[in-house]
């Protein structure tokens, strides 16, 4: 006899465990940031390693920090939408590994670009160069966007022909093309050095590490086990 369980707890209670807990941690960290922003940002956002504000744990904690309501809203919306689907596809343990590797990968690429910027500023040690280096040391990087970009890549690789519709502009297209276009825009903005307060290379780092990790899992046969996702 088959038994069926009807979930009456609503959308949030139906979320897989890792996605749900990542969401809750982000919300709690945001509440603490609203209470004491200076402390939270200086302690848990990611700073350049030469900065007096840098701490090793920031490589991880910056993924749970956000700078405003719009910032956390869009990241958490993407986490709930794409994280839940990806976690069910990969399995919770593998999904958690994927999320942290892409988030850390985002910080690595971002810090690498910062290193190149720092070398440029120090090589041009005039007033503008020194001011640029000083600003770099004081500029935090925060947000889940690096890991979120990893999730977008994972979704596009697992469900490449799924149709996604943007809110603005209201355009529909296959996931694989939408993510490719999105990454191309991030690369263009990052290379052009658009001063919009967005860490474009952190986004690209999350996307790159997500793509590499899924490619490696596929190559080593770790996508499937007994005809199911793990």
């Amino acid at each position: 006899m088959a038994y069926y369980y009807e979930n009456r707890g609503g959308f949030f209670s139906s979320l897989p465990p890792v996605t749900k807990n990542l969401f809750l941690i982000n919300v709690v960290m945001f509440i603490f940031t609203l209470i004491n922003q200076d402390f939270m940002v200086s302690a848990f956002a990611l700073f350049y390693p030469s900065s007096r504000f840098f701490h090793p744990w920031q490589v991880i904690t910056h993924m749970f920090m956000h700078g405003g309501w719009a910032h956390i809203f869009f990241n958490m919306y993407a986490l709930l939408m794409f994280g839940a689907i990806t976690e069910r596809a990969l399995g919770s343990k593998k999904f958690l590994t994927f999320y942290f590797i892409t988030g850390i990968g985002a910080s690595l690429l971002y810090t690498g670009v910062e290193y190149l910027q720092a070398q440029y500023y120090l090589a041009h040690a005039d007033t503008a160069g020194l001011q640029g280096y000083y600003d770099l040391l004081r500029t935090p990087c925060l947000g889940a966007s690096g890991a979120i970009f990893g999730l977008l890549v994972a979704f596009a690789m697992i469900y490449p022909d799924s149709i996604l519709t943007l809110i603005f502009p209201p355009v529909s297209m296959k996931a694989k093309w939408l993510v490719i276009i999105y990454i191309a825009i991030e690369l263009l903005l990052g290379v052009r050095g658009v001063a919009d307060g967005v860490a474009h290379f952190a986004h690209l780092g999350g996307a790159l590490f997500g793509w590499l990790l899924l490619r490696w899992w596929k190559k080593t046969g770790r996508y499937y086990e007994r005809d199911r996702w793990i």
Side-chain angles (χ1 to χ4, degrees), residues 20 46 70 96 111-112 119 122 132 140 145 154-155 158-160 173 177 184 196 198 216 228 230:
K20 182 188 298 183
L46 178 65
L96 182 62
T111 302
Q119 297 308 303
L122 293 174
S145 301
F155 181 85
I158 298 171
Y159 306 107
M173 65 181 70
W177 298 121
D196 55 1
V198 177
W216 182 64
R228 66 181 180 87
I230 60 172

Side-chain angles (χ1 to χ4, degrees), residues 10-27 66 72-88 95 99 144 147-148 151-152 155:
F11 172 76
F12 190 75
S13 64
S14 68
L15 291 173
V18 175
T19 299
K20 182 188 298 183
N21 283 293
L22 288 173
F23 174 83
L24 292 174
I25 294 171
N26 275 280
V27 170
H66 289 87
I72 191 171
F73 173 80
F74 286 108
N75 275 347
M76 292 304 97
Y77 177 80
L79 173 63
L80 294 178
M81 295 299 102
F82 297 103
I85 296 173
T86 306
E87 181 177 350
R88 292 188 181 104
F95 174 77
Y99 189 88
I148 296 301
L151 295 183
L152 293 176
F155 181 85

